[in-house]
Amino acid sequence: MFLRRPVMDIECWSPDNPIKKESWRTVLTLAYQSLGVVYGDLSTSPLFVFRSTFAEDIQHSESNEEIFGVLSFVFWTLTLIPLLKYVFIVLRADDNGEGGTFALYSLLCRHARLSTLPNGQLADEDLYEYKRDGISSANRGLGLGLSLRSTLEKHRLLQKMLLALALIGTCMVIGDGVLTPAISVFSAVSGLELVVSKHHHQYIEVPVACIILVFLFYLQHYGTHRIGFLFAPVVIAWLFCISAIGVYNIFHWNPHVYQALSPYYMYKFLKKTQTGGWKSLGGILLCITGSEAMFADLGHFSQMSIKIAFTFVVYPSLILAYMGQAAYLSKHHIIESGYHIGFYESVPEKIRWPVLAIAILAAVVGSQAIITGTFSIIKQCSALGCFPRVRIIHTSSKICGQIYIPEINWTLMLLCLAVTVGFRDTKHISNASGLAVITVMLVTTCLMSLVIVLCWHRSVFLAVCFILFFGSIEALYFSASLIKFLDGAWVPVALSFIFLIIMYVWHYGTLKKYEFDVQNKVPINWLLSLGPNLGIVRVRGIGLIHTELVSGVPAIFSHFLTNLPAFHQVLVFLCVKYVPVPHVRPEERFLVGRIGPKDYRVYRCIARYGYRDIQMDDVMFENDLVCSIAEFIRSEGSECDGRLEDIENEERMTVIGTTSTYSKGIRMCEDLSEEATSSMKSTEISSPEVPRKRVRFLVPESPQIHATARMELQELMEAREAGMAFILGHCYVKAKMGSSLIKRLVINTCYDFLRRNSRGPASAYALCFPRASTLEVGMVYHV
């Protein structure tokens, strides 16, 4: 009998499964790899920080107060935000090894039941990754934390506000995916102004930057794994380069620059520059661009590896680089006319060409990280019903996180080129990038304060201290970035607003569509009343009816029978749904139950995936689906401790894993050789006739199965031999009569446009449903 395995059986290690202790060799290997994937964007910030800071708002005088003040701000910003906040605090708030804005939101949804996914079940809370959080009714918070959780669960408005906050952070990450490649590549090629004629560099920089950007986005369809082996060496070479140049400049120009690390120079800087110094904080902010990647890319590595890479390699290299630039500028108060204060001025002239080449490569690597992160977060949003369905291509068979989304890739490229050609300088692009970066960090701070109370069960006072300390710092930078709204900062606001509207419209339409399904689902008695007297006939084969419902019979099925009064001898209502966890173990993939009496041969199968899981291909999915039903039939008469009950519909659902997760369950094979049959101690059930396609079930000899179950298995096998048909609903959603003007505009215009231009169900589940045997049934939904 198949039963759900206890969680103690799992001992294999992965970056998101810390049950088995990591070896130092593994940690150091992951730390080395993280340098190329996580820190490419952060490591290229010295290219444009000083240049953006001294653009217009402040001009340094003969004294070094402005330069030392900027260096002091850079040092303490790098120390407090990436090092203290992210490395020591935020990285601990992982969602079973996954990080990012949506991971925090998913974590909160499970602890406080805030999920907006409409088809959630109590059975989902029994998943392994739910239990790893230690969630139970007795462990959901005490005191003010319990009151806060109850308030959030009772008020739908607060839940919508929390979702909107997570979506704003997500939209800003997408906006950063447009701006980071532009500013990184443009800043890298800006070194051409020092190695070519000053009269021609302005005609060279923009075309060269555009060519590199087009090449960068063109490479995406090859996948990160094909070019990723170069990432870590490039970033290491870049970090070594900027730290070595920094040490040289410190000892050669101003060995006393270390004095600027005192926070007293920040006070002197603001006192002297006043409003101009406050506005210049938008440029200083860029020194932490890319810090969010430490948390967002946590799923590919481990906490310890990311902490080691930043603390011992990235952080010292960046501090030395900024100190070196400050030391150089402290002795060069007058820059040659026509040039700006930037990184390349502090590079010795003999090595500018090699440094320029390494900088361009590092900028490409840094841009790759944010582009990949954008793909990942779009996939998460789509899985959780907050973004239209898009085509997702998995570029690596070994690493599930490496994906490619063609529509998003080319959209990002066009927007990136438009920003580069439209602004033509780093000043406006940096203003835009700074606002996107600090908004994401503010959202993370707000969500983290809730995680401290609801998930970690710490005191509300600690959460208030966290949000006041880090929130005040980030709010200061946010105000400095927002004041430059007309000077480029409007770009991430506009992009985020567009993406936010798309996400909200799609989420709203999806919820209304599901509510229509629930309100119009067919009673079970209707299904039981069907018979030959009504002209309904049963045909050979297995009919798979896709539905979003986890209980009841969908209205699309009655609509199908109205137009075609026949259905298959074996009928399966299949629901492919996502749950708010990163991964669902294969042992817990399927929930299988029966609808009606056994003679009807009608089953319900719910395939559960995490928001970072990969759906199986069609052949594997078909085999696992049929075997899960066969295993349910075999184990139906056994004890109930392996079952979960759907209270709403009184259907008993059994947890069944994929065929690869158990060795003693039923297996299905086609044209099995005699050697393979003789090597297994099993009983073969085969069809008495010889069909076109030979299908066999291998059933273990122990335990014995009843004759009725054996007969049912034989009918299932014969139906599988006859073939499978996939019936999908093609829904046209319309606002019902009497709806408000806004609702009609959202549903009839915006949602309908997104639905028609996104991947339909047949395309979204192409990995599971072969197109050759798919039948779409059209139906109008009046919501």
Side-chain angles (χ1 to χ4, degrees):
M1 179 187 68
F2 177 85
L3 297 178
R4 186 162 37 84
R5 298 178 181 176
V7 297
M8 289 77 73
D9 291 348
I10 304 299
E11 297 183 356
C12 59
W13 179 88
S14 67
D16 59 342
N17 188 2
I19 293 178
K20 189 172 182 179
K21 190 174 181 180
E22 310 166 24
S23 65
W24 277 108
R25 182 177 181 181
T26 302
V27 171
L28 294 178
T29 301
L30 290 173
Y32 168 78
Q33 295 174 349
S34 69
L35 289 172
V37 177
V38 177
Y39 297 109
D41 185 15
L42 184 61
S43 65
T44 55
S45 57
L47 287 170
F48 43 79
V49 169
F50 275 95
R51 185 170 189 164
S52 301
T53 304
F54 289 100
E56 285 183 1
D57 300 315
I58 57 173
Q59 298 294 332
H60 58 277
S61 58
E62 292 296 327
S63 65
N64 293 326
E65 290 183 356
E66 294 89 344
I67 298 172
F68 281 14
V70 171
L71 177 59
S72 184
F73 263 105
V74 169
F75 171 76
W76 287 105
T77 303
L78 279 171
T79 302
L80 294 177
I81 303 299
L83 185 62
L84 180 59
K85 175 187 170 183
Y86 280 94
V87 170
F88 291 106
I89 300 177
V90 176
L91 285 181
R92 296 178 57 228
D94 64 301
D95 181 17
N96 293 298
E98 300 295 334
T101 304
F102 247 87
L104 287 177
Y105 177 72
S106 174
L107 199 62
L108 290 170
C109 286
R110 297 204 304 276
H111 282 80
R113 292 181 182 174
L114 305 176
S115 178
T116 56
L117 291 174
N119 55 359
Q121 296 172 283
L122 291 177
D124 297 337
E125 296 187 11
D126 203 56
L127 289 170
Y128 170 66
E129 294 205 356
Y130 264 90
K131 289 184 172 294
R132 279 182 59 183
D133 293 325
I135 305 174
S136 64
S137 59
N139 191 30
R140 288 184 177 271
L142 300 171
L144 292 176
L146 181 60
S147 301
L148 177 61
R149 180 176 65 85
S150 301
T151 303
L152 289 173
E153 290 179 349
K154 290 178 181 178
H155 295 83
R156 294 287 299 174
L157 179 61
L158 295 179
Q159 297 178 19
K160 292 180 180 179
M161 291 175 61
L162 189 63
L163 175 63
L165 184 65
L167 291 181
I168 288 173
T170 302
C171 293
M172 283 296 180
V173 171
I174 299 174
D176 198 21
V178 174
L179 299 169
T180 293
I183 189 173
S184 297
V185 173
F186 199 90
S187 299
V189 301
S190 65
L192 292 172
E193 68 184 11
L194 297 178
V195 293
V196 299
S197 172
K198 68 173 66 177
H199 301 291
H200 298 91
H201 74 83
Q202 56 182 339
Y203 303 106
I204 298 177
E205 289 180 4
V206 175
V208 170
C210 290
I211 291 173
I212 294 175
L213 288 171
V214 171
F215 180 71
L216 171 65
F217 284 99
Y218 172 76
L219 289 178
Q220 297 304 310
H221 74 279
Y222 289 106
T224 305
H225 69 287
R226 298 183 185 274
I227 53 178
F229 69 95
L230 289 175
F231 285 5
V234 167
V235 175
I236 290 175
W238 171 249
L239 290 173
F240 174 78
C241 178
I242 62 176
S243 58
I245 294 173
V247 172
Y248 168 81
N249 286 330
I250 291 172
F251 286 98
H252 187 266
W253 298 111
N254 191 349
H256 301 288
V257 72
Y258 69 89
Q259 298 175 356
L261 303 184
S262 171
Y264 175 68
Y265 281 91
M266 292 191 293
Y267 167 75
K268 293 181 66 176
F269 172 77
L270 292 177
K271 182 179 179 180
K272 183 175 182 179
T273 56
Q274 297 180 354
T275 304
W278 169 59
K279 292 182 179 180
S280 69
L281 294 179
I284 298 174
L285 163 67
L286 297 176
C287 70
I288 54 175
T289 180
S291 299
E292 187 73 20
M294 286 192 290
F295 186 46
D297 294 333
L298 182 60
H300 302 292
F301 306 98
S302 63
Q303 290 186 25
M304 186 58 66
S305 62
I306 290 180
K307 290 178 179 180
I308 290 176
F310 181 79
T311 306
F312 296 102
V313 180
V314 179
Y315 178 74
S317 299
L318 291 177
I319 296 301
L320 289 175
Y322 287 117
M323 290 178 66
Q325 289 189 58
Y328 176 85
L329 293 175
S330 66
K331 301 299 182 181
H332 297 78
H333 295 279
I334 301 177
I335 303 297
E336 183 180 349
S337 178
Y339 296 139
H340 301 285
I341 298 174
F343 169 76
Y344 291 105
E345 285 79 10
S346 64
V347 178
E349 188 173 354
K350 295 181 179 179
I351 60 172
R352 280 179 180 171
W353 273 109
V355 171
L356 175 63
I358 298 175
I360 293 176
L361 291 176
V364 170
V365 171
S367 303
Q368 174 65 43
I370 190 63
I371 294 172
T372 303
T374 303
F375 292 159
S376 178
I377 204 166
I378 290 291
K379 179 182 182 296
Q380 294 179 23
C381 293
S382 180
L384 296 178
C386 294
F387 198 85
R389 300 185 186 100
V390 289
R391 183 189 179 195
I392 298 175
I393 301 174
H394 296 272
T395 59
S396 173
S397 59
K398 297 180 180 179
I399 303 177
C400 65
Q402 294 184 358
I403 60 175
Y404 168 66
I405 305 178
E407 297 96 329
I408 301 299
N409 181 67
W410 301 121
T411 301
L412 290 179
M413 187 194 74
L414 293 177
L415 292 174
C416 195
L417 291 175
V419 169
T420 304
V421 175
F423 286 142
R424 293 177 174 265
D425 62 7
T426 57
K427 173 195 168 185
H428 293 86
I429 303 177
S430 63
N431 293 338
S433 180
L435 183 60
V437 168
I438 198 60
T439 304
V440 176
M441 292 183 176
L442 270 173
V443 170
T444 300
T445 300
C446 295
L447 295 178
M448 266 301 303
S449 62
L450 293 176
V451 168
I452 292 173
V453 177
L454 300 178
C455 305
W456 293 354
H457 310 298
R458 304 293 184 183
S459 66
V460 176
F461 176 75
L462 187 63
V464 171
C465 291
F466 177 86
I467 196 172
L468 285 180
F469 181 74
F470 292 107
S472 60
I473 297 174
E474 291 163 357
L476 178 64
Y477 282 114
F478 180 79
S479 63
S481 299
L482 196 61
I483 202 67
K484 299 181 179 180
F485 184 83
L486 298 179
D487 293 329
W490 60 269
V491 173
V493 175
L495 291 175
S496 299
F497 180 76
I498 294 173
F499 281 105
L500 187 62
I501 291 296
I502 292 174
M503 289 181 176
Y504 174 78
V505 168
W506 184 261
H507 182 70
Y508 177 78
T510 302
L511 284 180
K512 290 299 179 182
K513 178 177 173 294
Y514 184 81
E515 290 175 2
F516 181 90
D517 276 332
V518 172
Q519 294 169 1
N520 294 273
K521 64 182 179 181
V522 181
I524 298 296
N525 294 333
W526 176 85
L527 180 64
L528 300 180
S529 64
L530 297 177
N533 296 334
L534 299 178
I536 304 297
V537 297
R538 305 290 289 266
V539 297
R540 294 188 62 199
I542 299 177
L544 251 63
I545 300 178
H546 176 258
T547 175
E548 300 291 337
L549 295 175
V550 294
S551 63
V553 178
I556 197 74
F557 180 60
S558 63
H559 186 66
F560 171 75
L561 285 183
T562 301
N563 294 274
L564 185 64
F567 59 91
H568 297 79
Q569 67 183 100
V570 175
L571 195 65
V572 181
F573 291 98
L574 174 65
C575 174
V576 180
K577 76 173 211 175
Y578 287 89
V579 291
V581 294
H583 304 282
V584 174
R585 296 193 307 167
E587 292 91 332
E588 303 171 315
R589 178 70 66 208
F590 296 105
L591 276 176
V592 184
R594 185 188 298 277
I595 301 178
K598 290 186 178 181
D599 297 341
Y600 277 69
R601 305 293 191 255
V602 180
Y603 309 93
R604 181 184 311 283
C605 185
I606 301 173
R608 300 180 292 183
Y609 291 89
Y611 57 77
R612 290 185 66 90
D613 278 335
I614 305 174
Q615 292 187 15
M616 295 175 285
D617 59 72
D618 53 357
V619 177
M620 184 185 301
F621 184 82
E622 287 181 25
N623 293 340
D624 281 341
L625 181 65
V626 174
C627 287
S628 67
I629 297 174
E631 190 64 36
F632 166 76
I633 295 172
R634 185 172 72 94
S635 62
E636 192 176 19
S638 61
E639 297 178 356
C640 298
D641 57 354
R643 299 184 178 187
L644 298 169
E645 188 168 353
D646 186 342
I647 300 175
E648 179 184 355
N649 200 41
E650 296 183 356
E651 296 175 8
R652 304 186 71 85
M653 307 294 289
T654 303
V655 178
I656 306 290
T658 58
T659 55
S660 61
T661 59
Y662 55 93
S663 58
K664 296 183 180 180
I666 292 179
R667 292 180 178 272
M668 185 182 69
C669 57
E670 300 175 3
D671 299 326
L672 188 66
S673 63
E674 295 183 1
E675 293 83 0
T677 306
S678 61
S679 65
M680 299 182 63
K681 294 182 179 180
S682 59
T683 301
E684 180 182 315
I685 299 178
S686 59
S687 174
E689 302 177 358
V690 181
R692 285 181 306 173
K693 181 170 160 185
R694 182 77 170 176
V695 178
R696 305 178 184 183
F697 282 143
L698 295 178
V699 183
E701 292 182 349
S702 178
Q704 295 292 331
I705 60 176
H706 296 92
T708 55
R710 184 179 293 270
M711 182 181 301
E712 192 172 358
L713 285 174
Q714 184 165 325
E715 288 188 23
L716 178 64
M717 182 201 58
E718 292 175 354
R720 179 67 183 92
E721 287 178 349
M724 300 180 71
F726 301 86
I727 303 173
L728 303 177
H730 192 88
C731 306
Y732 299 88
V733 183
K734 301 293 182 182
K736 60 185 178 182
M737 296 294 295
S739 299
S740 64
L741 177 62
I742 296 179
K743 183 176 181 180
R744 293 200 304 268
L745 178 64
V746 170
I747 296 296
N748 296 345
T749 304
C750 301
Y751 181 77
D752 184 66
F753 174 80
L754 293 176
R755 183 191 57 80
R756 286 188 285 106
N757 290 276
S758 65
R759 301 277 169 175
S763 301
Y765 300 110
L767 291 176
C768 301
F769 303 155
R771 286 176 173 269
S773 54
T774 299
L775 174 65
E776 292 191 27
V777 180
M779 185 174 177
V780 179
Y781 280 36
H782 294 283
V783 301

